[in-house]
Amino acid sequence: CAAWPGRGLLEHLEEGVGRHHRLCGVSNALITNPQNYTFTNNMGSKVYLLYHSFTCDNDHHPRSAFHKNKYTIDIKNFEEQIALSYNKNAIYSFDDGHVSLYELAFPLIDKYKVKSIAFISTKYIGQEHWLSASNIKELFKHGIDIGSHGVNHIRFTNISDCQVKKELINSKAYLEDLLGTPVNNFSFVGGFYDLRSIRIAKEVGYRYLYCSEPGIGINKKGLIRRVCILSKTNTMQFKKIIQEKIGIKNLLRYHMLYHFRTLKERILY
């Protein structure tokens, strides 16, 4: 299958998922048609996009001085991406709860009425650089769904069953009290999860679980896949993502390399 212009899909996904993103196994369905393959399943053809924080090149805006990393998107690029995905089956998700979601991205989300969900780590609510409780209520009031990202932004694979349960229950309770509505969505921090954390999440009442595995639809464990958008994601790459043209050969290579890297990390940790 053809590589993306400028940079290969393999390199882009490796950087996007990074060392903090946990992948599950590859479905047997991947073998079907490697020449013209797209991801589809019972989630339909919804493309879930994953963002973290935003910045702008306006020197007079407080977010212009925000420390930039590979997950920080220039707000002009974000508006261009919204335009490219407008009226397409794309859903925007935002992990962590950085204040730039409210200050920079929210006006565009509200302007274009794009489907969105924000996953909040409740420990940071109200702290500098993070969303306040009033920010979250305002996002929800304007149609942005709110999900949990745990309390302390911690990997569930590194903590006990009791700690996992506290992270899930306490964050859920806080957000439900704040918004006055059930919170049914949960995003695993860094994409790290195991069967135990999936089981506990379902037991405490979460209906939809999200990972950071690149692709479209649901993986074999029942988690919703998302494609991470980076500061270096260019227009042609974004178009490929929206068109669901993720090549099977590159993705299979990526999975094998990532599993090797994940094993190495577990040994080091």
Side-chain angles (χ1 to χ4, degrees):
C1 52
W4 283 355
R7 299 175 67 223
L9 173 60
L10 172 62
E11 291 79 7
H12 186 79
L13 289 179
E14 277 192 314
E15 184 177 359
V17 178
R19 66 187 301 273
H20 297 294
H21 286 66
R22 170 75 170 91
L23 293 185
C24 327
V26 181
S27 169
N28 292 334
L30 294 180
I31 309 302
T32 51
N33 185 3
Q35 297 303 318
N36 188 26
Y37 185 83
T38 58
F39 288 94
T40 55
N41 61 14
N42 60 354
M43 283 297 292
S45 58
K46 290 184 176 67
V47 181
Y48 283 80
L49 305 172
L50 170 57
Y51 293 84
H52 291 84
S53 59
F54 302 88
T55 188
C56 68
D57 57 9
N58 182 352
D59 293 336
H60 300 290
H61 194 286
R63 289 300 135 219
S64 63
F66 173 65
H67 173 67
K68 301 176 183 179
N69 57 43
K70 65 183 179 183
Y71 299 111
T72 306
I73 308 298
D74 187 276
I75 198 62
K76 290 182 179 178
N77 293 340
F78 181 63
E79 184 165 20
E80 180 185 2
Q81 290 164 3
I82 290 178
L84 289 171
S85 64
Y86 199 65
N87 289 330
K88 292 184 170 58
N89 215 6
I91 296 179
Y92 287 73
S93 69
F94 308 90
D95 278 9
D96 302 340
H98 192 267
V99 70
S100 60
L101 167 59
Y102 181 81
E103 293 181 350
L104 295 176
F106 172 50
L108 297 177
I109 295 169
D110 191 47
K111 175 182 177 180
Y112 294 103
K113 307 301 180 185
V114 295
K115 297 178 181 178
S116 304
I117 179 169
F119 294 99
I120 310 299
S121 294
T122 56
K123 174 183 177 179
Y124 302 114
I125 294 175
Q127 296 189 24
E128 186 179 9
H129 303 310
W130 301 96
L131 294 171
S132 67
S134 60
N135 291 158
I136 296 169
K137 291 172 73 173
E138 186 74 7
L139 295 176
F140 182 71
K141 178 182 176 181
H142 284 79
I144 298 177
D145 201 0
I146 302 296
S148 169
H149 202 41
V151 176
N152 296 295
H153 199 266
I154 189 171
R155 294 181 184 178
F156 281 10
T157 51
N158 293 343
I159 60 178
S160 68
D161 288 14
C162 181
Q163 289 174 300
V164 169
K165 198 167 187 177
K166 285 182 178 179
E167 287 281 325
L168 290 164
I169 291 177
N170 292 346
S171 59
K172 191 176 195 295
Y174 180 96
L175 293 171
E176 289 180 342
D177 287 345
L178 177 66
L179 302 173
T181 189
V183 171
N184 297 316
N185 298 275
F186 181 83
S187 165
F188 287 101
V189 172
F192 279 87
Y193 63 89
D194 48 27
L195 292 177
R196 159 192 78 117
S197 54
I198 294 174
R199 172 181 54 80
I200 296 173
K202 292 180 178 178
E203 288 175 353
V204 302
Y206 290 101
R207 297 181 59 192
Y208 307 105
L209 305 177
Y210 298 71
C211 63
S212 305
E213 176 182 345
I216 310 302
I218 296 178
N219 67 17
K220 291 195 300 183
K221 302 297 191 300
L223 277 66
I224 298 171
R225 295 183 177 105
R226 296 180 294 171
V227 180
C228 186
I229 306 302
L230 305 173
S231 59
K232 294 182 179 180
T233 302
N234 62 41
T235 300
M236 291 302 295
Q237 290 169 342
F238 189 83
K239 285 181 178 179
K240 290 286 186 180
I241 293 169
I242 294 300
Q243 293 167 4
E244 306 168 34
K245 293 180 179 178
I246 302 177
I248 179 61
K249 292 180 181 178
N250 280 330
L251 189 60
L252 285 173
R253 287 175 58 210
Y254 167 70
H255 273 264
M256 289 187 289
L257 288 174
Y258 186 84
H259 283 304
F260 175 79
R261 183 170 58 192
T262 301
L263 177 61
K264 182 176 70 173
E265 286 183 7
R266 288 182 175 179
I267 293 173
L268 293 176
Y269 276 99

